[in-house]
Amino acid sequence: MKTVNDASALRQQLTDWRAQRQRIALVPTMGNLHEGHLALVRAARARAERVVVSIFVNPTQFVQGEDYDRYPRTPERDVGMLESANTDLLFMPSVAQMYPRGLADTTRVQVPELDSILCGEFRPGHFTGVATIVCKLFNLVQPDVAVFGDKDFQQLLLIRWMVADLCMPVEILGVPTVRDADGLAKSSRNGYLGAGERQLAPLLYQTLRETAASIGAGEVNYAELEARAMALLGERGFRPQYVAIRAAANLRPAQRGDRDLVLLAAAFLGSTRLIDHLELRRAAD
Ligand code: PAF
């Protein structure tokens, strides 16, 4: 695996592959890789002759007071994992490379509606930071396909909308969430959890599963189900930000006739913010 840190070395390598008509897949990450990221690399490998992984802890997607400075950076370990996963190229740019005119006055990509609801409401500006950096990475790598985890369900939908709105010639592939044996979704931020918190953490997904079971049993008062799940999370030791039952296609509040639903939640355990979701196909009335 080759590692490059700047755009011109990246372009040189990509030009060679394109001249040989090889399909290129991109897996954007912020590093501190785990099994979930490796599933993305495997999916990329199955779709393209060449796999490029980027590692960049993107400052503009961290809201003031969040964990940008302490976000885990483990480049040596990441390189070893990517080598074993048969990655062709690692792109690890600096902040100056990605934001040549600085962070404050940079051009931004904003995806209306999706950027201000759910996680966007609690992390204002976060999704504009995500869309902006993903757009930059797409411009630099010009991949045929880009692979993202569906754990960040709202992020994945937002990227799909950005690609459609800006007519970007890239296929977006979502890969199912990888979970620990007890149900906790893999996340770099799980490393912040203390031992007691780690034991409680799977209850976030369990609460979503219980809510989904109530919907499966015919309950249709979504507002009440959301309130009940919020209360349950509180009793189970979380500080929930939201539990939402939404239409999977656009994340608008679910209506009685909607069949394809997604349950989404964000909650703090101590100082660690966890998110999760569960997709659900409701039987016809
Ligand atoms: O999901 C992530 O790790 C990040 O939000 C992404 C897509 C790499 C953009 O920085």
Side-chain angles (χ1 to χ4, degrees):
M1 184 182 73
K2 201 166 161 180
T3 301
V4 293
N5 304 106
D6 66 89
S8 69
L10 175 72
R11 283 210 182 95
Q12 203 177 333
Q13 180 59 80
L14 295 170
T15 306
D16 287 351
W17 289 338
R18 265 193 218 101
Q20 297 165 42
R21 298 197 175 288
Q22 295 182 332
R23 261 173 75 81
I24 295 166
L26 171 67
V27 182
T29 81
M30 297 207 300
N32 191 236
L33 304 179
H34 50 66
E35 192 47 46
H37 295 109
L38 297 186
L40 305 184
V41 175
R42 279 194 295 276
R45 183 62 41 243
R47 296 286 172 125
E49 279 92 15
R50 296 295 180 178
V51 176
V52 180
V53 175
S54 62
I55 294 183
F56 180 66
V57 184
N58 172 35
T60 64
Q61 70 186 75
F62 289 79
V63 175
Q64 214 179 358
E66 286 190 345
D67 54 346
Y68 174 67
D69 288 332
R70 70 174 184 127
Y71 193 85
R73 290 158 172 90
T74 51
E76 274 126 51
R77 195 172 142 270
D78 294 348
V79 165
M81 288 173 81
L82 291 175
E83 271 169 349
S84 340
N86 210 7
T87 304
D88 293 293
L89 186 65
L90 170 60
F91 179 48
M92 274 210 295
S94 63
V95 172
Q97 269 283 327
M98 297 309 284
Y99 293 96
R101 293 193 310 107
L103 299 178
D105 298 321
T106 189
T107 302
R108 291 186 164 76
V109 180
Q110 195 208 351
V111 182
E113 187 178 337
L114 273 188
D115 76 332
S116 56
I117 58 169
L118 303 169
C119 283
E121 183 186 335
F122 290 94
R123 304 181 71 192
H126 163 71
F127 284 120
T128 295
V130 171
T132 301
I133 197 65
V134 171
C135 176
K136 286 168 184 271
L137 290 167
F138 285 180
N139 285 339
L140 285 164
V141 177
Q142 299 181 16
D144 298 284
V145 54
V147 187
F148 296 87
D150 83 356
K151 171 174 174 284
D152 296 299
F153 190 91
Q154 186 175 0
Q155 167 177 285
L156 179 57
L157 189 62
L158 177 117
I159 290 166
R160 289 189 194 285
W161 285 16
M162 172 186 78
V163 162
D165 287 350
L166 299 181
C167 310
M168 293 172 153
V170 54
E171 178 196 345
I172 302 300
L173 180 69
V175 170
T177 307
V178 178
R179 297 181 180 279
D180 285 336
D182 59 9
L184 177 64
K186 298 262 187 199
S187 163
S188 300
R189 289 192 169 99
N190 292 351
Y192 296 151
L193 297 168
E197 293 166 346
R198 174 62 191 81
Q199 281 205 318
L200 292 176
L203 291 172
L204 181 61
Y205 188 53
Q206 189 177 313
T207 306
L208 292 181
R209 291 214 327 258
E210 289 163 4
T211 306
S214 301
I215 296 172
E219 285 198 46
V220 287
N221 188 337
Y222 296 144
E224 193 186 301
L225 282 172
E226 288 169 356
R228 239 197 278 158
M230 290 281 284
L232 200 52
L233 282 174
E235 287 161 24
R236 289 174 165 174
F238 293 82
R239 272 183 300 116
Q241 285 188 324
Y242 66 81
V243 176
I245 302 170
R246 298 289 166 114
N250 52 26
L251 293 186
R252 296 195 182 126
Q255 306 297 315
R256 271 196 78 147
D258 289 333
R259 303 272 308 276
D260 291 313
L261 305 181
V262 58
L263 281 53
L264 307 109
F268 278 95
L269 254 185
S271 59
T272 306
R273 185 175 183 275
L274 300 174
I275 60 169
D276 210 337
H277 78 282
L278 189 160
E279 283 183 86
L280 173 72
R281 177 142 243 263
R282 209 173 61 82
D285 289 321

